[in-house]
């Protein structure tokens, strides 16, 4: 903590060490999401940087070009942002109302981090879309999105399930399923014009 | 970190009891929307450390300034200094009182404990209520029981939103001046809340024994039928199939709601009014959801600009548009239909 203190009126000389520490923490949580085990890391040291990075990346990639605003039915940046954050808030409120003992921000943190597999799916879909369109193209994208969707749900369940009373886990997991389904659907039906 | 903040706070104009009072107002641990005590259970993040450091430095500066100002006033201004102090104290007390009231109001309205009893359900109960919502009960002589819970209805509304999105995407619905997500959410929540309120108002006029919560729950569970019908018919596009399901499944869930309302209303006119309205709205909503989100051809807006295009064209979709190859043939089909309609209109 001592090395992190700079004089308050001197913004340009921020030490790089806390930034690296934060980035390492975010990276560690990404690893925990990709290889979900029953661990407390995401819950104990929650932060919202990871979810923000993932949400912004996803929203940027889901934007269509503004050239054909006439036929624009695709999600815009703000729409994706609002869906992700309000969806996460709704799920958190629901799990608290069902009697869960997880804190508000911890739940937001877990739900945000578990969007990582779907962001990876978006990247893969973008690459696959560079090839020629056709039914094979669609099948590959469908398969990738389904696998990543399942991965997201498994990862978030591994972290969230313990906070619910044992007989109500299904009630808390169903809205998570709907949430990731909507995001997966936005990813799958994205076609760059 | 809460303990670190408290002595700093109390050093500043007796703000100690303020913090304590706030915590007293939270009934039961962690019941407010955002748990103030849990907000502090972070560890190891440097931005929080820096934030707290800056806050502490700022507060010390403010304290130093305030102390200096008070000293100056007292030394040089005499009576005026005293009046200044008095006004400052009054302002401070008003601020504290206002803050106390605001925090009390916050913990009262943002306290989600109000809603907690309505989410006290088991999965088996939800399952049985979903199945019962499709089974009309003939016993109308004494009031039938309605479970007052909000979990099932809320989840059904969200499921309907998801199904609508699925349907809109596969049919390439083009929404201008809005977004797909916004439209779907607005439609479903608007129906659930709006029609519930309207029927509750009619029930009040007709002296029916039903509360707002029960009405919300009843209509919410009635949406289960809608979810089933739309899920099936958005994937299998046969109009005959849709009409069959509309009558069967939609009819069953409507009959169930009607039976419950009839059992709680006295008098034939009142029963007719209430149940007729609910049945009409429920069935028409399903019809609307199926056809409106099919494929509204772009001609709908061209109507406002060009005189030669017919007003609304609902183009029956027989070809699933999931594969890009099929999209071409369906656009050709739709373009042909539009051309045919224009020629017919012209004659």
């Amino acid at each position: 903590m001592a090395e992190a203190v700079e004089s308050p009126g001197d913004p340009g000389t921020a030490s790089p060490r806390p930034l690296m520490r934060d980035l390492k923490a975010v990276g560690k949580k990404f690893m925990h999401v990709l290889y979900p085990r029953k661990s407390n890391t995401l819950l104990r040291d929650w932060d919202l940087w990871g979810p923000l990075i993932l949400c912004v990346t996803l929203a940027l990639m889901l934007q269509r070009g503004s050239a054909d605003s006439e036929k624009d039915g695709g999600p815009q940046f703000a729409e994706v942002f609002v869906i992700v954050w309000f969806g996460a808030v709704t799920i958190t409120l629901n799990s608290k109302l069902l009697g869960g003992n997880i804190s508000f921000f911890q739940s937001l943190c877990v739900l945000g981090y578990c969007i990582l597999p779907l962001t990876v799916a978006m990247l893969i879909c973008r690459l696959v879309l560079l090839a020629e369109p056709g039914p094979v193209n669609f099948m590959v994208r469908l398969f990738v999105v389904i696998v990543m969707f399942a991965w997201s749900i498994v990862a978030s369940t591994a972290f969230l399930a313990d906070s619910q009373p044992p007989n109500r886990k299904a009630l808390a997991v169903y809205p998570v399923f709907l949430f990731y389904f909507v995001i997966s659907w936005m990813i799958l039906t994205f076609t760059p014009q | 970190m809460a303990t670190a903040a408290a002595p700093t706070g109390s050093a500043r104009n007796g703000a100690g009891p303020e913090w304590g009072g706030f915590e007293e107002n939270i009934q039961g641990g962690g019941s407010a929307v955002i748990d103030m005590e849990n907000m502090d259970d972070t560890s190891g993040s440097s931005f929080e450390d820096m934030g707290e450091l800056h806050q502490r430095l700022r507060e010390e500066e403010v304290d130093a300034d305030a102390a200096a100002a008070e000293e100056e006033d007292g030394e040089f201004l005499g009576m005026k200094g005293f009046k200044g102090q008095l006004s400052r104290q009054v302002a401070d007390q008003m601020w504290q009182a206002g803050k106390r009231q605001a925090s009390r109001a916050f913990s009262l309205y943002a306290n989600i404990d109000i809603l907690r009893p309505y989410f006290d359900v088991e999965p088996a109960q939800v399952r049985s209520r979903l199945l019962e919502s499709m089974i009309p009960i003939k016993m109308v002589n004494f009031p039938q029981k309605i479970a007052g819970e909000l979990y099932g209805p809320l989840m059904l509304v969200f499921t309907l939103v998801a199904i609508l999105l699925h349907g809109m995407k596969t049919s390439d619905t083009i929404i201008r001046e809005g977004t797909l997500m916004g439209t779907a959410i607005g439609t479903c929540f608007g129906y659930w809340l709006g029609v519930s309120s309207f029927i509750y108002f009619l029930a009040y006029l007709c002296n029916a024994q039903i509360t707002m919560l029960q009405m919300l729950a009843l209509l919410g569970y009635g949406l289960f039928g809608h979810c089933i019908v739309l899920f099936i018919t958005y994937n299998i596009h046969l109009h005959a199939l849709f009409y069959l399901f509309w009558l069967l499944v939609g009819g069953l869930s409507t009959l169930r709601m009607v039976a419950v309302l009839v059992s709680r209303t006295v008098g034939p006119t009142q029963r007719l009014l209430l149940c007729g309205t609910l049945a009409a709205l429920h069935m028409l909503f399903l019809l609307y959801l199926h056809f409106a989100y099919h494929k509204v051809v772009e001609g709908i807006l061209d109507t406002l600009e060009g005189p030669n295009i017919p007003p609304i064209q609902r183009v029956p979709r027989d070809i699933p548009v999931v594969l890009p190859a099929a999209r071409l043939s369906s656009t050709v089909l739709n373009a042909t239909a539009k051309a045919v309609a224009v020629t017919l209109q012209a004659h």
Side-chain angles (χ1 to χ4, degrees), chain A residues 39-173:
Chain A
S39 86
N40 267 346
T41 318
L42 247 70
L43 294 179
R44 212 178 39 228
D45 308 324
W46 65 265
D47 75 82
L48 293 178
W49 285 113
L52 183 67
I53 295 171
L54 288 172
C55 183
V56 168
T57 315
L58 198 61
L60 283 175
M61 286 196 289
L62 276 175
Q63 257 197 319
R64 280 177 202 249
S66 57
D68 51 357
S69 58
E70 287 253 322
K71 290 178 53 136
D72 200 0
Q76 295 302 303
F77 184 90
E79 192 184 353
V80 176
F81 225 80
V82 164
I83 289 174
V84 168
W85 289 102
F86 275 98
V89 165
T90 309
I91 296 176
T92 308
L93 285 180
N94 176 66
S95 72
K96 280 182 84 71
L97 284 169
L98 284 173
N101 59 2
I102 196 172
S103 121
F104 183 76
F105 288 108
Q106 283 171 345
S107 173
L108 278 188
C109 169
V110 168
L111 289 168
Y113 269 103
C114 292
I115 295 182
L116 177 65
L118 288 172
T119 313
V120 170
M122 182 75 221
L123 282 165
I124 298 180
C125 284
R126 259 325 248 302
L127 292 173
V128 168
L129 280 169
L130 290 174
E132 60 166 80
V136 176
N137 193 308
F138 179 74
M139 283 299 150
V140 167
R141 283 187 294 134
L142 180 67
F143 176 72
V144 166
V145 168
I146 288 181
V147 165
M148 292 303 181
F149 166 63
W151 200 333
S152 281
I153 295 197
V154 165
S156 62
T157 313
F159 295 116
L160 287 179
D162 287 336
S163 68
Q164 289 294 324
N167 49 342
R168 290 192 188 175
K169 287 202 188 13
L171 296 184
V173 167

Side-chain angles (χ1 to χ4, degrees), chain A residues 1 4 8 18 21-22 45-46 49 73 79 83 94 96-98 103 106 138 167-168 171 174 178 185 189, chain B residues 35 38 41 43-44 46-47 49-50 57 112 116 119-123 151 159 166 169 179-181 322:
Chain A
M1 179 58 193
R21 190 177 67 184
D22 285 340
D45 308 324
W46 65 265
W49 285 113
E79 192 184 353
I83 289 174
N94 176 66
K96 280 182 84 71
L97 284 169
L98 284 173
S103 121
Q106 283 171 345
F138 179 74
N167 49 342
R168 290 192 188 175
L171 296 184
Y174 179 68
L178 278 182
W185 194 249
T189 56
Chain B
D35 302 339
N38 276 346
D41 70 335
S43 56
S46 67
F47 45 87
D49 297 338
M50 287 306 283
L57 288 168
I112 59 172
R116 212 179 273 268
F119 281 76
D120 190 14
V121 286
E122 306 292 319
Y151 174 83
T159 310
H166 166 71
K169 279 287 189 180
T179 61
L180 285 176
M181 192 74 194
V322 175

